[in-house]
Amino acid sequence: MNHTWTVNVWGVRGAFPAPGAAFLEYGGNTSCISVDYGSGIVIFDGGSGLPELGRCLKDRKVREVHILISHLHIDHCLGLFPFPLFQDPHARIHLYGGPHENMSFRKGLEALLGSPYWPLGLKDFPAHVDIHELLPGAGFDLAGTEGSSHPITIRTLAGNHPGQSMLYRMSQNDKSVIYALDCELDKPMEHSLAEFAQGGSLLIWDANFTEAELEAHRGWGHSTWKEGAAVRRMAGVRSALMTHYASGHTDSFLRAQELCCREYDPASIFAREGLEIRI
Ligand SMILES: [Zn+2]
Ligand SMILES: [Zn+2]
């Protein structure tokens, strides 16, 4: 079986949502991208784009999802609070993520979801929630696809980000998506990421900063579209999808950046909310 995968973009912002008329074309929600692999769905990050995806899943009567969280910074978890599937007693939600310094993924989630920040805690949701603790460098078959002759395989890599982020590679047969948000490149990171992404189908990339902004914000844990295009070439990935735009980058600003990027690397595209890619 070699299903076409459908990649859908639900949120493209980093740091904080960007509401308002200047952000309508690319979108103002924070990071959330889904990959429908035919017999199931993987969701990368639970940013503010997640509730809209949840409404679509409810309409389609999808009841089991796998949410891979890159890290617990609020822009990657904001959409978990109102995620409609948490309210469905028949839903099964798998949440995957790594520790933040000495705090386990579960402890981090419990601190975030619940009193005093939200009226409901993880234990109060009617849905069945499975927490999967990951460590960077781990590889595993997605729950429910283990033992199948074509499992969905997930590999992880530590990203260079304050408190560390988790980068993911999702593969099945010759297809793979690499999700590399919230990661700042240095030589060792560039080398390990190029190896991690080798021969992939789609590299989803942190295009938070311009080159000048990056120089002014070293250590903030982000990168540029130009670095993404370079890693894509180095790793022989078919195309790169730029996302995680700084909240202040308006549509007109991003349009200009996108033109430069397309000239530099025609195989790199800029994400917009509502974009669908088939691989
Ligand atoms: Zn972020
Ligand atoms: Zn972050």
Side-chain angles (χ1 to χ4, degrees):
M1 258 197 312
N2 207 354
H3 283 294
T4 300
W5 288 1
T6 309
V7 179
N8 288 95
V9 177
W10 305 91
V12 299
R13 293 287 157 184
F16 211 70
F23 307 97
L24 293 177
E25 184 184 333
Y26 288 84
N29 281 309
T30 62
S31 297
C32 182
I33 290 185
S34 63
V35 182
D36 188 328
Y37 55 90
S39 54
I41 184 158
V42 163
I43 301 166
F44 290 109
D45 274 330
S48 68
L50 180 68
E52 177 60 17
L53 165 59
R55 286 186 281 277
C56 294
L57 295 174
K58 242 182 123 184
D59 289 347
R60 286 173 50 197
K61 305 212 175 342
V62 173
R63 291 227 161 98
E64 184 166 17
V65 293
H66 302 271
I67 306 179
L68 275 58
I69 302 285
S70 61
H71 61 314
L72 289 171
H73 284 165
I74 196 72
D75 49 327
H76 299 260
C77 297
L78 205 51
L80 288 174
F81 296 90
F83 186 46
L85 263 64
F86 278 134
Q87 299 302 332
D88 179 351
H90 303 292
R92 184 170 206 116
I93 298 158
H94 300 270
L95 287 165
Y96 302 78
H100 180 90
E101 287 157 6
N102 293 326
M103 187 187 268
S104 71
F105 179 55
R106 174 187 289 277
K107 282 262 171 276
L109 276 177
E110 281 171 353
L112 186 72
L113 287 159
S115 178
Y117 305 109
W118 197 249
L120 295 176
L122 268 180
K123 290 185 191 77
D124 304 318
F125 293 125
H128 189 99
V129 182
D130 286 324
I131 311 271
H132 303 262
E133 303 277 351
L134 303 180
L135 287 173
F140 60 95
D141 291 346
L142 205 65
T145 72
E146 312 110 320
S148 123
S149 50
H150 302 279
I152 297 287
T153 300
I154 307 290
R155 281 171 53 211
T156 62
L157 178 72
N160 183 23
H161 192 68
Q164 198 175 83
S165 58
M166 193 75 90
L167 315 186
Y168 293 103
R169 180 177 179 134
M170 166 189 178
S171 312
Q172 186 183 41
N173 303 328
D174 58 347
K175 247 196 280 283
S176 55
V177 166
I178 298 96
Y179 187 79
L181 294 200
D182 293 60
C183 183
E184 182 170 334
L185 290 190
D186 51 20
K187 272 292 155 206
M189 189 71 239
E190 183 182 66
H191 181 77
S192 53
L193 194 42
E195 203 174 87
F196 185 67
Q198 198 62 42
S201 316
L202 182 69
L203 172 64
I204 301 173
W205 190 261
D206 173 349
N208 197 88
F209 288 141
T210 62
E211 281 173 299
E213 287 167 345
L214 176 64
E215 284 319 311
H217 299 91
R218 283 283 173 200
W220 284 38
H222 295 290
S223 51
T224 67
W225 59 256
K226 209 173 217 176
E227 290 173 315
V231 170
R232 184 203 72 73
R233 281 203 187 107
M234 222 181 291
V237 181
R238 214 170 306 141
S239 54
L241 180 65
M242 305 303 169
T243 186
H244 199 285
Y245 310 128
S247 327
H249 287 177
T250 61
D251 288 335
S252 58
F253 182 86
L254 287 174
R255 239 179 276 130
Q257 292 287 312
E258 187 175 14
L259 277 178
C260 298
C261 176
R262 206 178 296 158
E263 212 163 282
Y264 184 78
D265 180 29
S268 290
I269 52 176
F270 269 45
R272 285 169 168 75
E273 282 169 31
L275 176 71
E276 181 170 298
I277 300 171
R278 287 172 175 269
I279 55 174

